[in-house]
Amino acid sequence: MRGIDADTLGLDGRWFDPVWRLEVELTPLELELLDTWWVRRLAFVAHAGIASFTTTQSYSRIEHSLGVLALTAHFAPDDRAARATAILHDIGHLPFSHTLEGLGGLDHHTIGRERIAELDPVLRRHGVEAEEIIAIDEGERPSPLTNSSGALTLDHLDSFLRSGQVHGRTTTPPREMLGRMRLVDGAVDTDEQTADELVDLIVAEARHQRAPSNVVPIAVLKHLVITALDTGASFDAADLTQMTDGELWAALLADPVTREGTRELRAHPRRWRMETLPTDAPSDMSDAGALDVHIRRGYLALPTVDGAKITDPRITALADALPLHLRVVRA
């Protein structure tokens, strides 16, 4: 019988995922990984990024990573390396996840590889090597976590259902949907009805990515961080890779250059509005403080239905709209 809490510590040797309603008996390796800082740090990084304070999507990266572990253990319980990869696949994320991705050339995949390499002694104690984890994470080795067809993966499946739950988008309980899914060469395969529900969630998530509640705080926070770095803040890009969300807030509030702007973003995010511009419109941040946002990719991979690829006109339209040029200005 599981404990009274869905704790992320493995205190009773198990992880109970409240979204998928799955109980996972944790291996000694998984328990040790959950006690390392780079994994624990994910408890202080919001999966939704800065939108965690403008929407109800406030859960952490560690919850998502454990959700991917639950799915991996469900479909491939004996694949130790894939299970470890599920826990480690996001450890390179910057504070607020994707919000600051690319800033100063920072890339969470590159950072993640470095951190997995640091954990090699832990992995080797349990018969797994960092190189194997990295190969799985990058899709260089076939595993339950990746596929070569471009179809929906377990990583994104967890993201769409976890986000769908907290936004109230789901109609069928995730555990019930999971009962109608299979994993075929790393691709999520299901029936037509379940696929339709999944596509609805994928479309909703893509639209959220382009919505004011996400775009506005991203633009303003990114501008604040760039300003802090350009004016010689107390932190640099290397420090940024190690910060948690709370530590970044604290640094921006402590810096006299960004203090007022940070307070305003936190207290009055509706003081900015979003505009959609033509893709070829020039970037011009001097226009009364306007901030330009370019969305170049979306998470639009679809499940397969009985082994066959599917299409959806909404997904096609969302893909065709990229790259998307948005501008955030004072309301």
Side-chain angles (χ1 to χ4, degrees), residues 41-167:
R41 174 181 170 273
L42 297 178
F44 306 98
V45 177
H47 184 268
I50 191 65
S52 60
F53 94 109
T54 54
T55 73
T56 57
Q57 192 175 341
S58 58
Y59 58 87
S60 68
R61 279 274 157 194
I62 202 169
E63 293 172 68
H64 162 65
S65 296
L66 285 166
V68 179
L69 169 65
L71 290 172
T72 305
H74 175 73
F75 287 109
D78 299 323
D79 194 329
R80 292 187 305 153
R83 289 172 57 142
T85 305
I87 293 176
L88 297 175
H89 79 282
D90 273 347
I91 62 171
H93 269 292
L94 299 168
F96 294 108
S97 295
H98 291 285
T99 300
L100 303 176
E101 188 77 11
L103 195 66
L106 296 174
D107 172 73
H108 81 274
H109 295 291
T110 302
I111 299 166
R113 287 195 296 270
E114 295 170 356
R115 291 180 179 165
I116 291 170
E118 286 182 37
L119 291 171
D120 192 50
V122 175
L123 296 165
R124 284 179 179 272
R125 276 199 293 274
H126 300 275
V128 182
E129 296 184 10
E131 289 182 2
E132 184 179 10
I133 302 298
I134 293 170
I136 291 172
D137 193 36
E138 295 185 350
E140 296 173 354
R141 198 208 88 172
S143 86
L145 291 168
T146 57
N147 63 73
S148 59
S149 64
L152 182 63
T153 63
L154 295 182
D155 179 9
H156 291 161
L157 173 66
D158 183 81
S159 290
F160 295 138
L161 268 295
R162 200 166 294 272
S163 172
Q165 282 284 95
V166 298
H167 283 287

Side-chain angles (χ1 to χ4, degrees), residues 205-274:
E205 191 68 19
R207 289 174 176 165
H208 160 69
Q209 183 188 14
R210 307 169 192 206
S213 59
N214 187 48
V215 172
V216 167
I218 283 177
V220 180
L221 180 67
K222 200 165 188 175
H223 176 61
L224 287 167
V225 173
I226 290 171
T227 300
L229 293 173
D230 287 349
T231 56
S234 58
F235 64 92
D236 58 20
D239 296 324
L240 192 63
T241 67
Q242 303 184 52
M243 287 180 173
T244 63
D245 294 358
E247 288 169 340
L248 178 58
W249 278 135
L252 291 173
L253 288 167
D255 189 330
V257 177
T258 56
R259 182 179 300 136
E260 291 307 313
T262 303
R263 286 175 175 167
E264 186 175 28
L265 171 61
R266 286 157 61 97
H268 306 291
R270 292 180 62 182
R271 288 184 178 172
W272 290 267
R273 61 182 170 82
M274 185 185 80

